[in-house]
Amino acid sequence: MSIGLKIEDLEKSLETKRIGRRIIYEEVLDSTNSYALSLGEKGLEEGTCIICDHQRAGRGRRGRSWFSPKGKNIYMSLILRPEIPLESLSAITFLSSLSVYYLLKESLSLPAALKWPNDVLVRAKKISGSLIELPKGLGRPDFLVVGIGLNVNMREEDLPDELKDKATSLRIEKGVDFERLGLIKEILEKFERYYFLLLSEGPLEIIRIWEKEAEILGKRIRVRDDERVIEGKCLGLNKMGAIVLDLGGRLEIINAGDVEVDAPRT
Ligand code: BTN
């Protein structure tokens, strides 16, 4: 079954006003984010959704690659043109993760969890990630792209050895295959709901929902970045989505890194 054949059905059934109103499907791309960036430069409208069946060079956060085998998973990117301050943009990562998280938790009854800043996990293994990218250049960009990867029909044996302990998929968790377009429809509809909430209420509204669902407040957290490891109590996220840590009276703002929640004391 080619994912491409039914894109028209998705367009017809989609109950959104803006997000996914235009869908562009390609069988193979280097990365849906790269393609979306080039289409954004050409002026394609807000909400345009790029989907592909296989990425040759899928990108993850912090320069990592995103494993993107053919015909198995969801690889999609949206072009957005929000009129919000640059400092609010990180809320888009959180609302993107929330859209996938609620799909897994509410529609598929999976024990989904959120991990800062952009991961969705099931049973402590990563199932989805979102990646915001801005076009290169000076000044305020007039668009951005947000890419979503969701592992859907990969089996244990499809995973490379280095991911076997770290990644999972809907197929691995549920034991059945899923129809990807139905999942994309739900993600786009949920995404629009939270995107409109961001536009009307601002980033803190999204960040508060994420904080609550991630159950991160008051937890002991260890953050690793390229240079150091910091541990402290999480006081929450600020409006830019950075983690505010209490290091025993001194506050530290964490903008990037890999977090471990409920880190054992060392
Ligand atoms: C991460 O968790 O590190 C982010 C992963 C984002 C992966 C998606 S797949 C679709 C889109 N295209 C890319 O190259 N990356 C994102």
Side-chain angles (χ1 to χ4, degrees), residues 24-79:
I24 296 173
Y25 170 76
E26 299 287 338
E27 205 166 308
V28 189
L29 288 171
D30 284 344
S31 150
T32 55
N33 266 22
S34 314
Y35 193 46
L37 282 166
S38 68
L39 295 176
E41 299 279 13
K42 290 185 182 142
L44 262 71
E45 64 270 38
E46 158 145 297
T48 301
C49 177
I50 291 93
I51 302 172
C52 79
D53 200 32
H54 169 45
Q55 296 188 119
R56 283 182 293 240
R59 293 203 283 266
R61 199 168 64 95
R62 308 187 78 210
R64 294 171 185 146
S65 62
W66 185 256
F67 182 58
S68 307
K70 182 174 165 42
K72 301 277 177 179
N73 301 325
I74 291 174
Y75 317 113
M76 59 192 267
S77 299
L78 289 163
I79 296 172

Side-chain angles (χ1 to χ4, degrees), residues 11-182:
E11 280 172 331
K12 276 186 213 134
S13 68
L14 196 59
E15 292 174 29
T16 58
K17 291 194 168 64
R18 217 184 292 170
I19 300 299
R21 287 328 312 166
R22 175 160 179 188
I23 292 178
I24 296 173
Y25 170 76
E26 299 287 338
E27 205 166 308
V28 189
L29 288 171
D30 284 344
S31 150
T32 55
N33 266 22
S34 314
Y35 193 46
L37 282 166
S38 68
L39 295 176
E41 299 279 13
K42 290 185 182 142
L44 262 71
E45 64 270 38
E46 158 145 297
T48 301
C49 177
I50 291 93
I51 302 172
C52 79
D53 200 32
H54 169 45
Q55 296 188 119
R56 283 182 293 240
R59 293 203 283 266
R61 199 168 64 95
R62 308 187 78 210
R64 294 171 185 146
S65 62
W66 185 256
F67 182 58
S68 307
K70 182 174 165 42
K72 301 277 177 179
N73 301 325
I74 291 174
Y75 317 113
M76 59 192 267
S77 299
L78 289 163
I79 296 172
L80 300 174
R81 300 180 181 278
E83 290 185 2
I84 54 176
L86 269 182
E87 61 178 29
S88 305
L89 291 185
S90 74
I92 293 175
T93 307
F94 297 108
L95 74 89
S96 180
S97 305
L98 280 168
S99 308
V100 176
Y101 167 80
Y102 284 127
L103 164 74
L104 303 190
K105 190 176 156 182
E106 291 172 353
S107 307
L108 305 179
S109 304
L110 277 166
L114 293 164
K115 183 176 167 201
W116 187 85
N118 61 345
D119 293 358
V120 184
L121 312 179
V122 174
R123 290 179 241 278
K125 291 183 174 179
K126 183 150 167 172
I127 198 163
S128 174
S130 296
L131 181 67
I132 285 202
E133 291 187 281
L134 304 176
K136 292 199 175 70
L138 296 171
R140 191 196 148 86
D142 65 353
F143 77 97
L144 63 93
V145 308
V146 54
I148 301 175
L150 172 62
N151 297 338
V152 180
N153 292 326
M154 280 195 305
R155 294 168 180 237
E156 219 47 84
E157 58 268 29
D158 297 321
L159 287 166
D161 285 347
E162 67 273 17
L163 291 182
K164 283 200 194 313
D165 291 341
K166 293 187 194 148
T168 189
S169 71
L170 297 181
R171 161 82 218 185
I172 294 169
E173 296 301 325
K174 287 280 196 183
V176 290
D177 277 347
F178 285 79
E179 208 262 299
R180 283 172 290 164
L181 286 180

Side-chain angles (χ1 to χ4, degrees), residues 114-115 214-216 219-222 259-264:
L114 293 164
K115 183 176 167 201
E215 298 177 1
I216 198 173
K219 296 268 171 71
R220 276 192 65 70
I221 294 206
R222 182 182 297 158
V259 306
E260 239 178 86
V261 177
D262 263 343

